Amino acid sequence: MLLHDLVASAAAADPRRPAVIGPDGAAVPFDEFDRQIRAVAGWVGAHSAPGDRIAVVADNSTAYARLYYGVPRAGRILTLINQRLRPGEQYAQLALTRPTVVVGDPVHLDRLTELRSEVPSVVRVVTADAAELTADPAGSDAARPAPDDPAWLLFTSGSTGTPKGVVHSHRSVLAAVRGSVVGRAVAPGGVYLLPFPMCHIAGYNMLVQHAVGATVVLAAQFRADAFAKAVRDHGVTACSLAPTMLHALLTHLKDTGATLPTLRSIAYGSAAIPADLLRTALDRLDVDFHQGYGMTETSGNVTFLGPAEHRRGLAGHPEILTAAGIPHPQVEVRIGAGGEILVRGAQVAAQYWPDRPAVDRDGWLPTGDVGRVDPEGRLYVVDRRKDIVVTGGENVSSREVEDALTAHADVESAAVVGVPDEYWGEAVCAVVVAVDGRRPAAADLIAHVRDRLTAFKRPRHVLFVQRLPLTTNGKVDKNAVRRYARSELRA
């Protein structure tokens, strides 16, 4: 089975059901979407060679969705470049992957003024919605790829270092799709809203929905007001959100009095959800919550925490709410040396571009996350290995301190990093976003943490900001936080 077979199957079952609804509100039924995918494959096949990289630099759109399926169908590798990066960062990724064709929105292509000189491999540049891309599906099956052929090449968020190019095959992506359909109990026939940029692995959720014949609504970017309107306009029943997005949505609903009566399910990831935020969401939305843990290298989620576990967490077992969930049956998760989480399964990428192994000789992926597993088999992500602060010879989990800080009534969000300290080696530094108009004293926050955690884990520095820097998939950008904290403290 190949990626585009998901759409072909849905088109055969319910041809006139909308497959994709773009940010402009235009719906494309499954049968027409299938035809457009075949046309993209035909055009790509006529203008490139097998194995070529076809790069895309664009906002979420129906045209982008066609490329998701159409480029791999032609036996080429869809290379997803984050449209929000600076041109210099984009040139670096394009130079590494050496695409022959670049597809994009005019606004993003116009920024790449040095594309031809910086990336000599490029022989053709075309806009994502060009009529020629969907003109004629003839020849789309001339070179049907194999399941293990590369389909997508996408970059990690780089939240803890230089982004790496991850190569996924049809087989690995479809393995993640099957795992999510089972692990999250995805309902057929629903309407799903995707607010994450499609250049990130979160875009695989579109395939998860198409696997059960559901409609996917694409948001060009996340804004709470536009998100709520899209839910109402299209009768959205399910969505995915980062906790930061959920907080913004709840604030919007509270301020406007708006409701989302059709919404039944919210999946979240990138961070555990604070218990107070979850309670507020359940009170206001009355939906099922699903947590998922995965990363770019796993082509999707590998563990899931379902609605029943969320309700149990709120009913007297709050520790469950900090869990990442239980591995689905088609993947293995274990704790390795130093507490590092290791993952193995068909959905795990075998390599980083161009030829660096992503897994060890036994197929285990080192995630870079530190975790533990409880007696009931739930995985807990303690922290990123790079986010462990070593102060006075003691290891401090930044996430643990962040959880303590966000339990304070006047703290909206917080990020904790290590900063150089002549005596301690590193000191714990908290960068805090306060609730509007209720900025607490730094000494009060330090005392608040010390009341909950052992003394050496308390912040020695507290800095306040209006908002935390985020990567485009909703994670706090710890590199940016670390640079800011060190700069402020030096000053």
Side-chain angles (χ1 to χ4, degrees), residues 161-461:
T162 302
K164 298 185 288 291
V166 179
V167 182
H168 276 296
S169 67
H170 292 261
R171 190 185 304 278
S172 63
V173 175
L174 289 174
V177 168
R178 288 191 297 271
S180 291
V181 169
V182 173
R184 193 179 291 161
V186 178
V191 180
Y192 172 86
L193 177 52
L194 177 66
F196 293 98
M198 294 175 70
C199 61
H200 283 278
I201 197 59
Y204 96 108
N205 281 290
M206 180 173 69
L207 280 68
V208 173
Q209 300 300 318
H210 285 164
V212 297
T215 298
V216 176
V217 180
L218 300 173
Q221 58 185 353
F222 177 81
R223 287 202 332 270
D225 55 345
F227 183 93
K229 183 177 186 300
V231 172
R232 294 190 295 271
D233 288 351
H234 304 297
V236 169
T237 58
C239 67
S240 297
L241 293 170
T244 51
M245 295 175 174
L246 178 60
H247 185 277
L249 177 62
L250 292 174
T251 300
H252 168 76
L253 296 177
K254 179 181 178 181
D255 291 345
T256 62
T259 60
L260 305 175
T262 63
L263 195 60
R264 296 287 178 267
S265 174
I266 295 178
Y268 67 93
S270 82
I273 191 166
D276 288 345
L277 176 60
L278 180 59
R279 289 190 183 92
T280 301
L282 288 172
D283 288 344
R284 182 167 291 276
L285 297 175
D286 189 26
V287 301
D288 287 338
F289 276 87
H290 303 260
Q291 153 85 307
Y293 167 73
M295 57 193 59
T296 306
E297 290 90 337
T298 62
S299 62
N301 290 322
V302 296
T303 68
F304 296 92
L305 192 74
E309 290 158 304
H310 281 83
R311 288 190 286 271
R312 184 181 170 197
L314 290 175
H317 299 276
E319 72 283 355
I320 293 177
L321 299 179
T322 65
I326 295 175
H328 67 74
Q330 299 175 34
V331 74
E332 298 175 80
V333 176
R334 69 178 178 87
I335 305 302
E340 185 172 15
I341 299 169
L342 305 176
V343 179
R344 182 168 68 179
Q347 71 185 76
V348 176
Q351 72 178 81
Y352 295 113
W353 185 265
D355 54 8
R356 175 186 161 197
V359 297
D360 68 18
R361 66 180 62 186
D362 296 317
W364 290 99
L365 170 76
T367 65
D369 288 330
V370 176
R372 62 182 179 85
V373 177
D374 71 13
E376 296 182 45
R378 284 185 293 264
L379 174 70
Y380 292 76
V381 181
V382 176
D383 212 338
R384 291 291 295 173
R385 290 184 70 179
K386 292 184 179 180
D387 289 339
I388 297 292
V389 181
V390 183
T391 179
E394 299 283 0
N395 288 352
V396 177
S397 163
S398 62
R399 183 165 172 177
E400 185 180 26
V401 182
E402 289 160 1
D403 289 344
L405 286 164
T406 54
H408 192 286
D410 296 337
V411 174
E412 178 181 303
S413 56
V416 169
V417 295
V419 294
D421 185 280
E422 290 185 3
Y423 184 77
W424 299 104
E426 278 190 309
V428 177
C429 176
V431 180
V432 174
V433 178
V435 173
D436 290 343
R438 287 160 49 185
R439 176 168 165 168
D444 290 343
L445 288 183
I446 293 170
H448 171 81
V449 173
R450 187 166 185 169
D451 286 343
R452 286 158 174 76
L453 303 174
T454 190
F456 68 78
K457 297 182 180 181
R458 73 188 187 280
R460 296 183 181 275
H461 308 282

